[in-house]
Amino acid sequence: MFLMFIHLICSFQLFSYADSVNVPIENHLQDRSIVAIHYTIPGSHFIHSANIGQDLLPGSSTTVRMPYGYINKLIFDSDDGAVYSQPDYPASVNADTIRISLARKEFGGLFERVYGIHPLAIQNSTDVSIFSVFLQGDSLPTANILRNSILLPGEILRVWLDSGKTAQILTLDYEGNISSMITATTPAHDSLFRITPDLFFLNGKEFGYDESLAGSWIVNCITLGRIIKAEAFSPEGYFLDGLDCSSSPLGTWDRVFLRHNTPVGYVVCTDESNRTYSANAVDSLSGSFILGNLNLDFGFGFPE
């Protein structure tokens, strides 16, 4: 009986997506037109485009044909480059009207840019904010595809490209530091490409490195904060090594090498405002201790 029920569900899904329905859409944006509509559906590895005929002007409405059933996400491009979205939409004969307003503008988490049908995900796997993403390749836009958005640590930019398209990916952080290049071709076996700290290391200076000695790297990824002291401690809390950087504070992507022959339990850095940041594990992607804003040591004392 259970297997028969599952079979009926699968049959309904196959039948549903073979049909299509009219989906009503209203543009509630005051000064921008909707120029393209894309959508994703369950079980499909591609993105689909809806035929809107002509631009949907401010204050106007239209209907578009879409598969009957569950739509994972609808993506709306406006004529000023902004992107709006509607997740989890049930398209049916009496479908609810989709109203595009500023409330539907994409904001954080996952950003969509559509230039083809295959997905390529770019994740900010650093501790700094990325302000610009550039793609180099035939027929790809030359401008910053993030547009007016910022890719915060952990967030993903999903770029849709045509089959066989090769793109070289470059990113810039909040200070304009440029990353090394990543090359990706769609469709990729693993479509997630990480922007990792080591791609930015060429922007920084190195302090204290001695290849003949064992030790650990500490990298400054603190937003607008310069490090004046770096220290390493054993798991038991004993001091292992330290470096006074006050005469030449570490800026973003600068690295300091602390020497030690025994395991490190944690590292502590102090910035110019006398705030401390600590980390007890190396970054798995770069093998270095990364000190960012989330590593700030909060004190809960009150002034007397």
Side-chain angles (χ1 to χ4, degrees):
M1 189 70 176
F2 176 74
L3 292 177
M4 182 179 297
F5 177 70
I6 294 298
H7 175 73
L8 288 173
I9 291 178
C10 295
S11 299
F12 172 75
Q13 287 290 347
L14 291 173
F15 172 76
S16 297
Y17 283 121
D19 292 344
S20 60
V21 294
N22 285 326
V23 174
I25 297 173
E26 297 177 353
N27 183 359
H28 285 238
L29 302 171
Q30 294 182 352
D31 55 357
R32 61 204 71 177
S33 300
I34 301 299
V35 298
I37 301 175
H38 314 279
Y39 60 91
T40 60
I41 59 177
S44 174
H45 299 290
F46 311 103
I47 196 168
H48 306 266
S49 296
N51 182 12
I52 63 174
Q54 59 185 7
D55 295 352
L56 185 60
L57 301 176
S60 62
S61 61
T62 189
T63 59
V64 297
R65 299 293 290 179
M66 288 188 182
Y68 178 89
Y70 182 78
I71 307 294
N72 283 335
K73 187 177 186 180
L74 290 99
I75 302 160
F76 303 85
D77 290 329
S78 67
D79 56 3
D80 67 343
V83 180
Y84 304 81
S85 65
Q86 164 71 57
D88 308 324
Y89 181 77
S92 63
V93 176
N94 298 310
D96 291 336
T97 299
I98 299 176
R99 297 174 175 85
I100 306 304
S101 66
L102 289 176
R104 296 208 177 277
K105 188 173 183 180
E106 66 176 4
F107 180 78
L110 178 64
F111 301 87
E112 307 277 3
R113 298 293 181 267
V114 182
Y115 310 112
I117 65 172
H118 294 279
L120 186 155
I122 304 169
Q123 184 177 46
N124 180 3
S125 295
T126 76
D127 282 53
V128 303
S129 299
I130 290 177
F131 276 51
S132 301
V133 175
F134 295 94
L135 299 179
Q136 297 180 0
D138 294 338
S139 303
L140 292 177
T142 57
N144 169 27
I145 65 171
L146 271 183
R147 300 164 191 170
N148 294 323
S149 298
I150 298 172
L151 199 63
L152 298 177
E155 292 185 332
I156 291 176
L157 171 66
R158 186 162 58 181
V159 182
W160 299 83
L161 301 175
D162 289 330
S163 179
K165 177 74 71 175
T166 296
Q168 295 175 321
I169 305 165
L170 292 171
T171 65
L172 273 68
D173 69 10
Y174 67 100
E175 290 184 348
N177 295 310
I178 190 168
S179 70
S180 298
M181 187 181 296
I182 294 177
T183 299
T185 301
T186 56
H189 175 69
D190 182 358
S191 62
L192 178 62
F193 295 85
R194 301 178 187 272
I195 306 302
T196 54
D198 56 292
L199 296 178
F200 282 96
F201 284 172
L202 290 176
N203 295 279
K205 300 185 295 292
E206 296 180 356
F207 297 87
Y209 181 59
D210 188 335
E211 63 180 5
S212 66
L213 300 174
S216 300
W217 283 106
I218 299 175
V219 186
N220 180 14
C221 293
I222 303 166
T223 302
L224 301 177
R226 300 200 301 170
I227 290 174
I228 61 172
K229 185 169 62 174
E231 300 171 291
F233 297 86
S234 70
E236 297 77 23
Y238 296 109
F239 177 80
L240 297 178
D241 190 26
L243 186 65
D244 185 343
C245 313
S246 56
S247 60
S248 182
L250 305 183
T252 305
W253 302 118
D254 285 345
R255 300 188 293 160
V256 61
F257 186 78
L258 298 185
R259 296 165 292 179
H260 55 85
N261 293 314
T262 56
V264 173
Y266 59 96
V267 298
V268 178
C269 290
T270 305
D271 70 9
E272 292 178 308
S273 298
N274 209 36
R275 294 173 296 212
T276 61
Y277 303 77
S278 60
N280 59 9
V282 298
D283 172 57
S284 61
L285 299 174
S286 65
S288 303
F289 286 96
I290 304 294
L291 276 298
N293 293 340
L294 296 179
N295 296 98
L296 176 65
D297 297 323
F298 288 97
F300 296 97
F302 295 93
E304 297 181 359

